[in-house]
Amino acid sequence: MDTSVYGVCNHKNFSFFLILVFLVPFLLHSASSSTSPQINSNSILVALLDSHYTELTELVEKALLLQKLEEAVGNHNITIFAPRNHALERDLDPEFKRFLLEPRNLNSLQTLLMSHILPTRIPSAAWPPAATSVVRHTTLSSDYHLHLTTNSSGHKTVDSAAVLRPDDVVRPDGVIHGIERLLVPRSVQEDFNRRRSLRSIAAVLPEGAPEVDPRTHRLKKPAPVPAGAPPVLPIYDAMAPGPSLAPAPAPGPGGPRHHFNGERQVKDFIQTLLHYGGYNEMADILVNLTSLATEMGRLVSEGYVLTVLAPNDEAMAKLTTDQLSEPGAPEQIIYYHIIPEYQTEESMYNAVRRFGKIRYDTLRLPHKVAAQEADGSVKFGNGDGSAYLFDPDIYTDGRISVQGIDGVLFPREEEEEDNKAAARRRTTPLVKVASKPRRGKLMQVACGMLGAFGSVC
């Protein structure tokens, strides 16, 4: 190659390189300045990040909205309605907050936060007076509008939420008003309700041991069970091993499981007992002394129904130390107060009025609890160990029914003796005794018949 040509090429390449070195940073700066506006330190967005609304700031960061808010601030002034920290820490439903923080619900979180921001500046002086009608404004979430009003006492509101700190933070490009609670758009609420209902009715079929048909020696095909149908197995087979129960077998294939949120329902009925008052001892045994709350939640999740006869605190205080100190005694007491049926005060009273005396199965095998009509109410048990239906229908949700009684029930001693005698009869082998022929009796009968015909025997 010619050296002169090579030198010319080198000179051109070096010149092009210098142009790139000085031009590229300028192009990049101009491109970035044209696409995203510059935010100065006196911006309302910087003031929000440094304000005392820390819970809202954390949600904004987790929603990845900083870039969108920078664009909004660069294009026009904004108005932010910021809920106080207490409203997001304690007043907000924990389940709803968990729903907002799930990554798959990012769109719902963004819609919720942008519904608190108006693309215009509205200070407290520009609020509509009390004499005028409601003023409607479009938020950054285009499908949600905010309504600003002033009540007769002069207090400002935004969508039924009181403005606690008007003009709390004021900057040249925006203003922040402190409000008492979070504003939830209808679309976000509907999405939350839809996710919660789907989670509560989601059916998960167990993977149990396969069953073999003894006639064909082939695997049995499980029968289809519709969602929400009653369980195939009896409740005693589904219970975990306990102090008075045999070990539970593996669930058969095709049994329905987890159609209902039993853990939440058990938690609700225990909280109802505490708020109702007078049943703290019963709630303490369920939660702290035993694992029955977890067991009941699992059973309800699998589709079983339960009726709890809850003794009040006055009745529980009469229990002696010996009655509670034996291993497994609290479980046995509570098992005897749980009926594997869904009964209300009306259904039990109608049953005892019609049939006189009813014996309900309990989760303490094989004991039953007797119920009968007495003094216009339902009385459980017999004799001195009886208890009356004292607080009817404390909690009824279609799966769990809680009925308050004024005594602690125990199985009758006669009933235990009957159960032991029945067990002995089942275990004692039956011996077949051959009857001996009684010839004298047969001869007397024959002579009697012949005498009737005039014969001499």
Side-chain angles (χ1 to χ4, degrees):
M1 180 180 291
D2 191 0
T3 56
S4 60
V5 176
Y6 183 76
V8 171
C9 292
N10 262 346
H11 179 70
K12 290 182 178 179
N13 291 339
F14 182 73
S15 302
F16 181 71
F17 175 76
L18 290 178
I19 293 174
L20 288 179
V21 168
F22 290 101
L23 188 59
V24 167
F26 175 77
L27 292 176
L28 292 177
H29 176 73
S30 60
S32 62
S33 62
S34 60
T35 56
S36 60
Q38 296 295 319
I39 303 298
N40 56 36
S41 60
N42 199 28
S43 171
I44 190 66
L45 184 57
V46 177
L48 174 65
L49 298 178
D50 294 338
S51 67
H52 54 271
Y53 298 105
T54 55
E55 292 293 325
L56 179 64
T57 302
E58 183 180 355
L59 291 179
V60 170
E61 294 177 350
K62 291 183 178 180
L64 308 177
L65 283 179
L66 292 178
Q67 184 176 357
K68 290 184 179 180
L69 294 181
E70 288 178 2
E71 296 175 359
V73 170
N75 295 332
H76 36 63
N77 286 1
I78 63 173
T79 301
I80 302 176
F81 297 99
R84 55 178 181 168
N85 289 335
H86 189 277
L88 298 177
E89 286 178 344
R90 300 181 181 179
D91 297 343
L92 195 62
D93 182 10
E95 192 172 354
F96 181 69
K97 188 173 183 179
R98 194 181 311 115
F99 161 80
L100 293 176
L101 297 180
E102 290 181 359
R104 61 177 179 177
N105 302 322
L106 180 62
N107 292 334
S108 297
L109 179 59
Q110 292 179 347
T111 302
L112 176 76
L113 295 177
M114 288 191 296
S115 300
H116 290 72
I117 304 175
L118 301 179
T120 182
R121 181 189 185 92
I122 303 180
S124 60
W127 220 271
T132 61
S133 59
V134 179
V135 178
R136 180 182 179 187
H137 292 275
T138 304
T139 63
L140 289 182
S141 177
S142 57
D143 59 344
Y144 188 67
H145 301 80
L146 293 179
H147 303 81
L148 308 183
T149 57
T150 304
N151 56 24
S152 58
S153 59
H155 294 92
K156 299 175 175 58
T157 60
V158 49
D159 271 14
S160 72
V163 180
L164 303 179
R165 304 172 67 123
D167 298 333
D168 192 14
V169 180
V170 179
R171 293 293 184 271
D173 55 356
V175 60
I176 298 178
H177 302 292
I179 58 177
E180 64 172 345
R181 62 179 180 83
L182 188 70
L183 304 175
V184 182
R186 177 176 295 182
S187 59
V188 177
Q189 185 67 42
E190 291 177 352
D191 191 16
F192 168 66
N193 295 337
R194 193 182 309 113
R195 293 288 176 86
R196 180 169 59 179
S197 61
L198 289 176
R199 182 170 63 251
S200 62
I201 65 175
V204 180
L205 298 180
E207 297 180 358
E211 295 183 0
V212 179
D213 191 344
R215 296 174 301 175
T216 61
H217 299 286
R218 295 181 180 179
L219 294 178
K220 290 184 179 179
K221 294 183 179 180
V225 179
V232 177
L233 294 176
I235 190 171
Y236 305 102
D237 293 339
M239 292 178 62
S244 62
L245 298 172
R257 291 171 64 93
H258 301 295
H259 296 300
F260 308 95
N261 193 340
E263 289 79 8
R264 185 177 62 187
Q265 290 174 276
V266 171
K267 180 180 178 181
D268 289 345
F269 104 73
I270 293 177
Q271 289 180 346
T272 303
L273 281 179
L274 296 176
H275 291 311
Y276 192 89
Y279 294 90
N280 296 331
E281 296 295 331
M282 178 73 175
D284 184 66
I285 289 180
L286 288 174
V287 177
N288 298 324
L289 297 184
T290 65
S291 60
L292 294 181
T294 304
E295 174 71 7
M296 292 171 64
R298 186 182 64 83
L299 291 174
V300 175
S301 297
E302 296 179 7
Y304 299 97
V305 294
L306 302 171
T307 297
V308 182
L309 304 178
N312 55 17
D313 290 343
E314 184 179 354
M316 297 294 289
K318 297 178 181 179
L319 293 175
T320 62
T321 306
D322 296 336
Q323 291 175 323
L324 293 174
S325 60
E326 296 181 3
E331 288 90 346
Q332 293 184 8
I333 294 175
I334 302 303
Y335 274 136
Y336 189 63
H337 289 74
I338 300 178
I339 301 172
E341 304 175 19
Y342 185 79
Q343 297 286 344
T344 62
E345 186 266 344
E346 181 180 4
S347 64
M348 288 190 292
Y349 184 71
N350 291 338
V352 296
R353 283 286 301 272
R354 181 177 180 183
F355 301 105
K357 193 172 184 179
I358 304 295
R359 295 172 64 86
Y360 292 106
D361 291 328
T362 66
L363 294 190
R364 182 175 176 180
L365 288 176
H367 303 291
K368 301 176 182 287
V369 59
Q372 57 186 337
E373 193 271 339
D375 301 330
S377 180
V378 182
K379 185 177 76 170
F380 299 96
N382 298 278
D384 297 336
S386 60
Y388 284 87
L389 183 54
F390 189 71
D391 290 321
D393 297 339
I394 297 177
Y395 180 87
T396 53
D397 63 358
R399 312 299 306 175
I400 301 176
S401 172
V402 181
Q403 308 294 327
I405 58 178
D406 61 353
V408 180
L409 302 174
F410 289 94
R412 295 175 54 190
E413 296 181 358
E414 308 90 85
E415 182 183 354
E416 295 181 357
E417 294 297 332
D418 295 342
N419 293 330
K420 292 180 181 179
R424 285 195 298 268
R425 286 196 298 269
R426 287 194 299 267
T427 56
T428 303
L430 297 178
V431 180
K432 187 176 181 181
V433 179
S435 59
K436 298 181 179 180
R438 291 175 293 180
R439 300 179 60 182
K441 186 68 175 177
L442 292 178
M443 291 295 294
Q444 292 178 5
V445 174
C447 291
M449 293 178 62
L450 291 177
F453 289 100
S455 302
V456 179
C457 183

